[in-house]
Amino acid sequence: MPTAKTQIAKKESTALTTTGYAEMAGAGFEGVDPSHFSPPFINILQSLSATVKSKQNSDGDIYNTSSCEATPGADGITIIPCAVKHGYVEWRENRGGFVAEHPVSSSVVQKALANPVMEPGKKFPTFKNGNNVLQETFTLYGLLDRGDGVLDQVIIPFTSTKITAYRHFMSTAIGPKLRTENGELKPYPLCAHRYKFTTKADKRASGDSFNWSIKFDGANADEARLSPESVEFQAAIEFNEIVKRGNVKEDYAKSQDTGKASEQEDDGSIPF
C-alpha cells in the first residue's frame, strides 16, 4: 500500500507495542491508492522568488512546496533517491502555466527538437510546441529523510543549469559497484545510499544563482550505504515500484515559483 510518508518505528519501542501496531498495520487505509497523494516538489529558492522578495526566506534556501518549509541551503537535506525520469515539460509562454509532460520519444518532443527556434537575444535554441515552450527536465523521485523517523516521498526537478548538477550526481551514484553471484560487477541500486543535498552560489555575468551540490551523506559510499534489511531501503524500493508503475501524480505547476530568471530565459550557459 503506497504512502506519502513512512514512519519508522522508534528503536526504544517495546516488543509488545511493535507487535500491536503490526497486527493493525494499514488499518484505515484500505481504500487508499496513489491518486490520494501528490508528492511535494523540492526546489531551490532564487532571488526573484516571492518568499525571498518578501524577506520570508533567503535565496539558496531549499523549499518544500507541500509543507512550505525552507531549509538553509548550507544545512541541506538528506535524500534517498529512488527513481529518475527524463522528459520535456510543456509551459505556456513565459512560464505562464503548466500544460503537459511529454516523454522524449513523443512526436511532440521529436518535432520540436528537429525544429529549434533561435529567439532574439538568446545564445541557445528554444524548443516549442506552437507558442508553448518545452523544457528538458530530469525528475528525481526520492525519500526525504527528516531524521525524526519520517520519510517523505518527494520530487526534485532538474532543469536548465541544474542538469549539470544532476549529471554529476548520477556519475557519483553509479560509481560504487558490487559483485553479483556470477562474478559480474554492477552498480548498487540507486536507493542503496543516502545523499546530502546542499546548495551553492553560481557566479555568472547575468547574476548569481544557486544550484545543487550533491554528495554522499557520509565520508564515502560505505558510510552512506543503507542496509538491505532497513526500513529506509524497503520504503525506497516500494517508492521505486510505484514510480515504475506510473502511479505518481506530479503537479509540475507547483514547481514554478523558484524565482530564477535564467530558468525562463537564456542565461548563456550550457547544461552539461
Side-chain angles (χ1 to χ4, degrees):
M1 187 275 300
T3 61
K5 292 179 182 286
T6 298
Q7 178 72 51
I8 302 174
K10 294 185 179 296
K11 293 182 180 179
E12 62 268 22
S13 297
T14 65
L16 178 61
T17 302
T18 303
T19 301
Y21 278 123
E23 292 173 351
M24 301 176 64
F29 292 100
E30 293 83 359
V32 172
D33 60 40
S35 67
H36 290 245
F37 307 110
S38 179
F41 281 82
I42 301 295
N43 292 317
I44 302 175
L45 295 179
Q46 306 290 346
S47 58
L48 298 181
S49 170
T51 62
V52 172
K53 289 193 292 184
S54 65
K55 309 297 185 183
Q56 297 177 57
N57 303 117
S58 300
D59 50 345
D61 284 356
I62 301 170
Y63 190 73
N64 184 314
T65 61
S66 176
S67 64
C68 298
E69 294 175 292
T71 302
D75 294 345
I77 57 176
T78 301
I79 294 290
I80 302 170
C82 302
V84 294
K85 181 171 64 175
H86 182 203
Y88 281 75
V89 177
E90 183 175 349
W91 302 92
R92 295 186 179 87
E93 285 187 294
N94 298 316
R95 291 293 285 266
F98 170 71
V99 178
E101 180 191 8
H102 305 282
V104 176
S105 60
S106 70
S107 59
V108 170
V109 171
Q110 291 303 307
K111 180 179 178 180
L113 295 180
N115 298 278
V117 178
M118 290 302 303
E119 298 184 335
K122 293 194 174 184
K123 296 181 181 180
F124 302 102
T126 299
F127 302 105
K128 290 193 168 185
N129 181 26
N131 291 326
N132 296 336
V133 175
L134 297 180
Q135 185 176 46
E136 184 177 25
T137 304
F138 290 86
T139 304
L140 171 67
Y141 303 84
L143 299 178
L144 171 63
D145 187 348
R146 295 178 175 273
D148 58 358
V150 175
L151 302 170
D152 292 345
Q153 295 175 358
V154 296
I155 300 172
I156 305 177
F158 293 80
T159 59
S160 188
T161 55
K162 293 188 185 71
I163 293 176
T164 303
Y166 172 81
R167 288 175 172 152
H168 288 167
F169 156 65
M170 289 301 289
S171 297
T172 298
I174 203 170
K177 299 294 191 294
L178 57 83
R179 192 173 294 280
T180 63
E181 291 182 356
N182 61 8
E184 291 183 283
L185 283 176
K186 290 191 175 183
Y188 280 85
L190 181 61
C191 59
H193 300 93
R194 283 189 178 91
Y195 294 83
K196 179 65 72 174
F197 280 55
T198 58
T199 66
K200 61 179 181 179
D202 283 347
K203 305 289 184 180
R204 294 195 181 88
S206 58
D208 293 354
S209 64
F210 282 82
N211 205 338
W212 290 112
S213 175
I214 308 171
K215 300 178 180 180
F216 286 119
D217 186 24
N220 51 48
D222 290 342
E223 288 191 9
R225 191 165 301 135
L226 299 171
S227 166
E229 290 77 30
S230 67
V231 174
E232 294 94 335
F233 183 76
Q234 296 301 321
I237 290 294
E238 180 184 13
F239 193 26
N240 172 273
E241 292 296 328
I242 293 171
V243 174
K244 286 195 299 185
R245 291 195 296 267
N247 289 337
V248 177
K249 180 182 178 183
E250 305 97 338
D251 187 358
Y252 281 98
K254 291 181 179 179
S255 70
Q256 278 192 276
D257 184 25
T258 58
K260 183 171 183 286
S262 60
E263 292 288 356
Q264 306 165 35
E265 303 169 359
D266 183 5
D267 62 0
S269 60
I270 304 175
F272 51 80

